[in-house]
Amino acid sequence: MANTPRPQVFAVMRNGHEVIRGMSKDLRETLENNDAKAFIDTWKVFSAWLSYHAKMEDGVEGKGMGMFALLDAKFDKIAEKNKLRNAHDELHAVEHKLSEAMKSGDVEQIKAAWEKFSQVNLDHLKEEENVMMPCVQKMAKAGENLVEHLQTQICNTCWDEDGFGAEFLTTGVRVLEKHHEGMPRARVWIHAIQTIANDEQWKKWLPAIKEGLSDKMFQEIDELIGMTSKVK
């Protein structure tokens, strides 16, 4: 395909942050409507998605070291020096308080706990991006195999889990299409995933991706990057 855009493979992680930001907007909207039940239902989807992303960052023993450890190994413990893992500990603490608020069912308690969690989470995303993206650019310029890093140390931490399709891929593309902000966020994320997938994985994952997209968006992306042509 002559006009196929070049894949940006680390968009698996970077545009994953846009999934988090998009779902944060959805969660905030439920609270603006004073709808505690809608918040809790949306939170369950958000929390499930976030668990996959966190594994890709933190690593899973016996599967892959994760993004933070990869950056530490390549750039003199840069993730450790910037306390990126410590921020996850802080997130767990404020998430616990949010969980307690949700158990109460009181929308005002949920609002207060959400504001704290959301601020810590969004600040953490920016901190990660400020560290991660310059490192990714340096690795790319040095000719490192970014696809292999993602396949063997990052995405493989969770891509064999049963919910990876429905909980991670379907949710991710749905949110990126909705919260595109005038950018091709869904297409870039899907292209990255397509690039790191082998034929068997892509055949398994494509229906989950299609499930999360509008028919129009699926067709537009397919015409650009050949999603269906890769399925054998």
Side-chain angles (χ1 to χ4, degrees), residues 10 18 25 34 62 70 131-132 140 154-155 166 172 188 194-196 207 212 228:
F10 253 84
E18 301 310 328
K25 292 177 182 177
N34 293 312
L70 176 67
V131 173
M132 175 179 69
I154 298 175
C155 296
V188 171
Q194 181 187 49
T195 302
I196 66 171
T228 55

Side-chain angles (χ1 to χ4, degrees), residues 44-140:
K44 290 176 182 176
V45 177
F46 176 75
S47 182
W49 192 93
L50 200 59
S51 70
Y52 293 96
H53 184 77
K55 288 173 186 174
M56 292 183 190
E57 292 182 336
D58 293 332
V60 174
E61 187 174 356
K63 290 187 174 182
M65 67 171 68
M67 186 187 72
F68 291 161
L70 176 67
L71 295 181
D72 277 347
K74 298 286 183 181
F75 298 98
D76 191 27
K77 297 188 180 300
I78 192 169
E80 181 179 325
K81 290 175 181 176
N82 284 274
K83 300 181 179 179
L84 297 186
R85 290 187 186 83
N86 295 29
H88 279 196
D89 293 337
E90 183 181 4
L91 272 172
H92 292 320
V94 291
E95 182 178 348
H96 176 71
K97 291 182 180 179
L98 178 56
S99 296
E100 291 301 310
M102 284 189 282
K103 288 177 184 177
S104 76
D106 183 278
V107 71
E108 295 304 322
Q109 288 187 42
I110 295 172
K111 284 180 180 180
W114 165 252
E115 285 302 323
K116 179 62 176 177
F117 174 87
S118 180
Q119 191 58 57
V120 172
N121 196 28
L122 295 178
D123 287 348
H124 175 55
L125 296 184
K126 194 62 181 175
E127 291 166 0
E128 284 184 352
E129 290 159 9
N130 289 340
V131 173
M132 175 179 69
M133 296 316 297
C135 292
V136 170
Q137 292 166 5
K138 288 176 183 177
M139 287 191 289

Side-chain angles (χ1 to χ4, degrees), residues 37 52 87 121 124 129 155 159 162 165 174 184 186 190 203 225:
K37 182 181 183 304
Y52 293 96
N121 196 28
H124 175 55
E129 290 159 9
C155 296
W159 66 10
D162 291 339
R174 176 181 56 79
I190 292 166
K203 185 176 181 179
I225 66 174

